[in-house]
Structure formats: C-alpha cells, structure tokens
Amino acid sequence: MSATSRERFQSSLRRARKIAVLTGAGVSAESGIPTFRGAGGLWRRYQATSLASPEAWQRDPGLVWEFYNHRRERALGCRPNPGHHALARLEARFREAGGVFTLITQNIDGLHEQAGARDLVRLHGSLWQVRCLSCGSVTENRGVPITPAFAGSGSPDPETRARRFTAAELPHCSCGGVQRPHVVWFGEALKESDLAAAAAGVDGCDLLLVVGTSAVVYPAAGFVPLAKRHGALIAEINVEPSAVTSLCDFVFTGGAGEILPSLLDLAPALAP
Ligand code: BJW
Ligand code: ZN
C-alpha cells in the first residue's frame, strides 16, 4: 500500500458526507469463518448449489440443516476481528459528526452486529434466525445443535445417499410447521426492504468501501457499478483482486483485519 494512495484515500474519507460499505465473507476470515470461494472456501468442498439452494432443501432438508448446524457450531466460538471493530468505530465516529453511513453485508454470521454496527443491511439473512415454512414467522434461534438429533453430526457429506434425519428431527415452529434457515439461497429473492435500504445507502454516497467479497453474486455485486455510475469513489480491501477491482479508485491488498484499522483509524476527525 503506497503512502500516496493511503493519503488520497484518507483525504476522501475526511471529505465524505455519505459512506457505504459492502462486506463479504473475507471480512470474517480472520475471525475463523471460512469464505465461500477461494483458498479454504466452503464451495471448494461442497458444490455452491448443492447445499445452499431450494433444490437441495427439496431433496433433503436434513442434509441442508446438517450443513447449517455445522456452520452455526463453528461460528459460535468466533468473535469479531479488528476489521469488524474498525468499521463499527468508523460508523460511530462518522454518525457523531453528522454523516450518513450504511453497512451492507452479505454475511450471515452476526459478527458486524457483535462489533457494534448499528445501521446494518443484511442482504442474505442470518445464520441465527429460522423461518417457519407454514406460518412464515421468523425467530431468533441460537441453539447449537439446532435440535438434539444434530448433536455431534459434524460436517455433512453431500455424496452420502442415505437420508440421515427424519422430518420429526428437524426444527419446528410452535405452530407445528418445519423451520428452515432464514437465509437467501441462489434463485431466491432478497427482501425488498433490504434491497431498498442498500440502494438508498449507496445512492449519492461519496465513498464505497468494498471489503472481502469476490463480488460475483448478484444483486449484491451490482451495488459497486451502481455507486460508480453515481460518481462515488470506490475503495477495495481484499487479499486478492475481485470481479470489481477494475472499477476501484483505491485498492488495498491484505487482510481486512489488518488493513481496516490502520486505514480508518488514522483518518483525521470527520467534519461534515
Ligand atoms: C479476504 C480475506 C481477508 C479472504 N481479508 N478479504 C446477474 C448476473 C448473473 C447472475 C445473476 C444476476 N442476478 C441474479 C443472478 C443469480 C444469482 C447469482 O448472482 N449468481 C452468480 C453466482 C452468477 N443470484 C441469486 O440467485 C440471488 N437471487 C436473485 O437474484 O433472485 C432474483 C429473484 C427475483 C424475484 C424472485 C425470485 C428470484 C440470491 C443470491 C443469494 C446468495 N446466497 C449465498 C448463500 C447465503 C446463505 C449462506 O451463507 O449459506 O450468499 S451464496 C454465497 O455467496 C453467500 C455469500 O453472501 C455470497 C457472496 O460471497 P462472498 O461474500 O463474496 O464470499 P466469497 O467466498 O466469494 O469471497 C470472499 C472474498 O474474500 C474473496 O474475494 C477473497 O479474496 C476475500 N478474502 N480472506 C479480506 N482476510
Ligand atoms: Zn409457524
């Protein structure tokens, strides 16, 4: 990272009145949550659509729950890293100074919330919420295992043919309906109000930070060209180039947990 690039970025940060941040799995990598694609990514071991899809749910809901139960188990012991904390501090400081700040995340792990993020748009739902397929109610559920049948089930094997879990062993709502993870799978629509909140945050922003995302999944990735078209400066923080690197005015290469505190905390006080 050259000093010039950092200084130019920080001067843009100082002048900004409206900031949006789009985060992906990479921001949580240093907390111990695996990313989806790339080295150590989840999708290297499981086909992207084999478990996080409506088709997989239709085929074998127990296998899908085994996958999410395993991820909940892993995420339970994970804490926000310095990158999550730096973003939460920037939000607090920027708001105090009268700026508009929107954090848009594709992550479902809850680590931004744990770090103190306030104005957060969770585009792909939450690992810690379940939705009833009968009455539609969404409830917080932090239980690990998700039901006693999933205790010690570990990492699922999509190659396994035999169904391991019966319908009765899946989580159920008080109305009797089966509950599914409250997350957005491929081919499913994102919540309109979340899309509207994200679009409002990006619309007219001076600066968009794109942190730890491969930017290949839509509509989330579309917020980057949208911000660019509206004249925002774009800064990327990632360990490697993404699908939107060519649109970026600033590219900071490295781990979010290392780069974000040094980049954001050194910026002089904002004065919108
Ligand atoms: C670090 C780091 C460190 C590592 N520091 N960095 C337009 C064009 C083409 C296709 C489409 C389109 N519009 C829609 C589509 C289809 C589809 C899609 O986008 N497909 C593409 C893959 C081609 N989109 C959808 O289906 C969406 N739905 C939709 O559009 O519905 C339309 C509709 C309307 C009306 C009715 C019905 C339908 C839904 C997308 C849902 C995505 N869901 C998932 C799973 C969520 C639940 C779960 O977690 O299980 O979301 S898939 C997965 O990908 C997850 C993530 O949020 C998402 C993005 O991944 P992310 O965060 O970018 O992670 P990685 O692993 O890809 O990247 C990690 C990055 O971190 C890398 O760059 C590393 O280098 C970096 N990194 N360590 C900083 N320490
Ligand atoms: Zn119900």
Side-chain angles (χ1 to χ4, degrees), residues 132-137 173-179:
C132 174
L133 292 174
S134 297
C135 72
S137 70
C173 176
S174 52
C175 83
V178 170
Q179 291 167 317

Side-chain angles (χ1 to χ4, degrees), residues 59-153:
R59 243 187 344 261
D60 188 351
L63 180 66
V64 173
W65 259 123
E66 194 175 17
F67 176 53
Y68 283 94
N69 183 66
H70 178 59
R71 288 174 60 193
R72 285 159 68 102
E73 210 164 50
R74 282 194 71 157
L76 202 61
C78 294
R79 296 287 165 263
N81 67 54
H84 297 104
H85 286 298
L87 287 171
R89 282 196 297 276
L90 176 69
E91 173 176 8
R93 209 172 72 228
F94 196 70
R95 270 177 198 293
E96 206 173 299
V100 178
F101 184 99
T102 310
L103 177 53
I104 304 160
T105 189
Q106 299 168 82
N107 299 346
I108 63 171
D109 55 34
L111 293 182
H112 283 304
E113 296 91 317
Q114 264 194 55
R118 272 186 37 207
D119 196 353
L120 179 66
V121 182
R122 286 190 310 227
L123 288 178
H124 294 162
S126 169
L127 189 54
W128 306 110
Q129 289 180 326
V130 296
R131 184 166 82 242
C132 174
L133 292 174
S134 297
C135 72
S137 70
V138 173
T139 46
E140 189 87 0
N141 180 326
R142 295 199 164 256
V144 176
I146 185 70
T147 68
F150 289 85
S153 64

